[in-house]
Amino acid sequence: MEHGDSWDGPMPLAAPVLAASGALTAYHDGVAAVAGLAARFAADSWNAPTPCPEWRAADLAGHLRCVADNYHEYLDDAPVSRLSRLMATGAHHEAIARKLARQNAAELAALPDVPPGEHITAFAAAARRYAARIGPLLWLPHHSYRGRVITVAGMAGLAGVEWHVHAWDLAMALGMDYRPANPAAVLAGWLDGIPQLPVPAAGDPWLAVLRAAGRAAG
């Protein structure tokens, strides 16, 4: 992940972001965006490269399935999940990213050999189940990083960011652009759920998110 100067706008509150700022709507919008873009792929176009280094669109479909399943695992085991233990080390964000990249590669390799569209269907189902689970749990601690507690609401904000950023990746693979309906809510999800990665200063919240995620946009 690339990062720059910290975002210079007003910081949102912590857990209330999900309920009060449109972050839950943004979460569902991200799931729908991924599913809608995936439906545009033909069988051969899943081989198209994406902005994610070394990943084709088909790989990204599998990754999304793995990540959605991981969110359920992390919620089941919170606040002592494997993610919690990693974040509690307080390691530099680049070390965390390397660890998660190795995890992602291993999980992707273990997926069943099915068409990418099946991975997207499984992703969407798991992501929607996750949103249905978290309603009564928003204020509970999910994990912590360098003394900052990330709630279940914050983690859901992070998930929404991931769905939208990967929707942009899929759009790029199709030769299209993508922009969420509520970029400010996506930015709020980043600020609430990913404290180890500062957001670059930018007037456009969506460009800020893309740049923080290491995407060369704008």
Side-chain angles (χ1 to χ4, degrees), residues 32-52:
V34 167
L37 286 161
R40 294 174 174 264
F41 281 83
D44 57 348
S45 57
W46 281 109
N47 289 317
T50 74
C52 303

Side-chain angles (χ1 to χ4, degrees), residues 152-180:
V152 171
M155 189 64 179
L158 183 160
V161 171
E162 185 145 20
W163 308 157
H164 284 286
V165 170
H166 286 322
W168 185 86
D169 292 330
L170 289 172
M172 292 293 105
L174 288 166
M176 302 168 56
D177 197 7
Y178 170 75
R179 181 180 177 87

